[in-house]
Amino acid sequence: MHKVPGPFVPLIVQTVSAMNVQIAPSWKSKLETEFAKDYFQQLATFVRQEVQTQTIYPPGKLIFNAFEKCGFDQAKVVIIGQDPYHGPGQANGLCFSVNDGVAVPPSLANIFKEIHTDLGKPVPKSGNLERWASQGVLLLNATLTVRAGAAGSHQGKGWEQFTDAVIRLLADEREHLVFMLWGKYAQDKGKHIDRQKHLVLTAKHPSPMAANYGGWFGCKHFSQANNYLEAKGLGAIDW
């Protein structure tokens, strides 16, 4: 576990005692210049003010959990979500993931159903996806924080620019990654990824509103990802 040095520290970590931001060393070195940019300083100020006056999810120490659980060099698959869950105890800093003991949300339930159909895996009882992250699945939300009970409340504050930079770093500096882009929002964020260098899989969003109208179930993204990774000698993910 490693604290982030530099400008992010005085703006968030030192002003909010409950925060103990964690991030893997490989990401720290890649993102230091991004943390120093003006937009990120403004974002950090906004998040600090929100934490001081509102209930924010996920907890401060888990805001960068995706980057702590899956290092830059360890990433094999990138899944892009949108917002953290905004209900009590749900968000743990990994997109689509919830803490142990929390009811599995509908979108994640549909993800598990597709994995069961695609790979024959039993449907897990826990929606905690840390087991994926530890195998090299970067579970990246476009926006890393949200106000309790207010979906989308931290959109347009700078997080999207930051996560665009993260995707660009991965797409430019790594090769043979699998990007899973579910729904138009994720597909727009990944539109610049080189399809010759990486495997880009697209489908409808797994939310019931989208999935029930076709385009999610039967996408077979998980077997496609594993076939690609094994063909490149990188090892399959145990979904």
Side-chain angles (χ1 to χ4, degrees), residues 16-73:
V16 185
S17 60
M19 278 196 171
N20 180 25
V21 174
Q22 313 271 327
I23 187 168
S26 57
W27 278 114
K28 180 181 70 175
S29 62
K30 294 290 183 184
L31 294 172
E32 279 179 335
T33 56
E34 207 66 29
F35 289 144
K37 292 181 178 178
D38 288 345
Y39 86 87
F40 196 89
Q41 296 299 290
Q42 294 167 11
L43 168 63
T45 298
F46 167 76
V47 173
R48 177 191 60 189
Q49 292 169 345
E50 284 284 283
V51 169
Q52 290 173 338
T53 60
Q54 307 289 333
T55 299
I56 301 303
Y57 299 129
K61 66 181 180 179
L62 296 179
I63 289 174
F64 286 87
N65 199 28
F67 301 92
E68 172 64 10
K69 293 293 190 293
C70 178
F72 179 84
D73 300 313

Side-chain angles (χ1 to χ4, degrees), residues 8-9 14 28-29 33 39 49-50 55 60 78 83 88 101 106 110 117 122 136 159-160 163 207 209 228 231:
F8 195 72
V9 174
Q14 292 181 357
K28 180 181 70 175
S29 62
T33 56
Y39 86 87
Q49 292 169 345
E50 284 284 283
T55 299
V78 182
D83 254 15
N110 282 341
T117 302
W159 280 128
E160 295 91 341
T163 51
S207 68
M209 187 178 296
Y228 178 83

Side-chain angles (χ1 to χ4, degrees), residues 89-119:
Q90 290 182 300
N92 62 8
L94 309 175
C95 74
F96 294 103
S97 175
V98 291
N99 289 311
D100 291 322
V102 175
V104 175
S107 292
L108 183 55
N110 282 341
I111 291 170
F112 287 162
K113 287 177 186 176
E114 176 59 22
I115 292 171
H116 175 68
T117 302
D118 187 15
L119 297 173

Side-chain angles (χ1 to χ4, degrees), residues 169-184:
L169 271 170
L170 287 162
D172 290 351
E173 297 188 18
R174 295 287 310 281
E175 60 180 11
H176 307 318
L177 293 174
V178 179
F179 289 88
M180 295 183 176
L181 309 180
W182 301 334
K184 186 177 185 302

